[in-house]
Amino acid sequence: MTALDDAPDTGKLPWHLRGNYAPVTDEVEAFDLPVTGQLPADLNGRYFRNGANPMNGPTAHWFMGDGMVHGTSIRDGKAEWYRNRWVRTGALEGKRRIDMSTGQMDFTVSLANTHVVRHAGKIFALEEGSFPYQLSPECDTIGPYDFDDKLRTPFTAHPHTCAETGEMHFFGYELVTAPFVTYHVLDTAGNLVHTQAIDVPGPTMVHDFAISRNYAIFMDLPVTFDLETAISGGMPFGWNPGYGARIGLLHRDRARQGEQPRWFDVDLCYVFHIMNAWDDGAEGRYVWLDAGRHASMWEGGSDKFAPSFLHRWRFDLHTGEVEEEQLDDVSHGFPRIDDRRTGLQNRYGWAVAPRTGTTRTAGTPSMDDASVIAKYDLADGASVTRHDMGPNAMFGEPSFVPREGATAEDDGYLVTYVFDKAEGSSSFVVLDAADMAAPPIATVKLPQRVPHGFRGSWFADE
Ligand SMILES: [Fe+2]
């Protein structure tokens, strides 16, 4: 229970509208914010985080609220500003994604609530059913973006930028007619340079994917779409074990000649979030994938979130076999790495997790026990250290920012928002990514509560 839960008028609302899931009602901005500790001199940029913040009354599901971006600007050791803005989308104006008379989808209608990324100098608020919404560096909405009219599918909320080429790899999934999944690549200038239909048998919900140096890796898992539920306004995705579960490896170079993924059957599961993937060469034998594996998702109702555990799949391209291994027995959410390791073997990863020894019970919402930030050291198994700010703290997803001149993989900062349950207030925090036991390097008190949300990015000054 939080102080906000105690408010008498919130008792009958669903969990995703109570406590720190409840939306904020105001767009505010504040300047020269109070700092405890010392903001690092080499931390210059903006932290943007997206989340669902319904504007016009209760929503049926946590994922269905209008996107709101919370931005904090840090420069020269000062917290310059905090600003929160709804993303001005077609959905916010009451437009519908599906034209009921024609069945046509309008990808400019978006909730734009899931992630916020930057590529080739453009900032995009993302939600996987629609086009990106371009934002200004001040969190204001510029509008839907279709890459010079070349993008004809939705754009995932989880694109991945190759650490070596700088290309942004992404996909879109669609729900009514094939192709249900389409793979795309943006070059470093932001041009859409590759688009390819991926063969999957039905309208599967594909939330994230992975790249290694030589492969794009697709999840084809048993959470599928139901059109009638969508038309009725409910949460249209559900657990469908008869669909099966497989993961596809698409050779990045041979994809340009139209090659399709090679599919590997895996144990039934769902994956929201990838940690990373890597391989042993363009003509090598193995590909490894680390991700948060849920034993099921929304089995028996769209509020039933089974916990995710860090899991490794090793794909053998010689034999076609897959080895699966659970790496940790404490659940986690929102795994991240140093983005300079995307597609390359990483030693470290960070995620939100429950305090030691408490594994989340299936069926509770995912942020309720995001009480610590866990650091995984994957050099030999998966040893875990934790940053713990006490029983009142609830963390959002951490983003890693390398220290200036850093060479070690964990030489840098973790930045995120943290909610204080006792005070009902939020802060932007800077942690030492190498030393999870160290106290926060700096804490910036924000002028209003930041509701639990989804994903964010640090945009270093360019
Ligand atoms: Fe996500």
Side-chain angles (χ1 to χ4, degrees), residues 114 128 157-158 207-208 272-273 334 454-455:
T114 314
E128 63 200 37
H158 288 287
H207 186 69
D208 197 350
F272 268 113
H273 294 129
F334 298 153
F454 304 124
R455 312 309 292 254

Side-chain angles (χ1 to χ4, degrees), residues 232-252:
S232 71
M235 175 59 174
F237 296 97
W239 181 243
N240 179 12
Y243 183 82
R246 55 185 201 153
I247 295 174
L249 307 185
L250 174 60
H251 196 281
R252 281 168 49 177

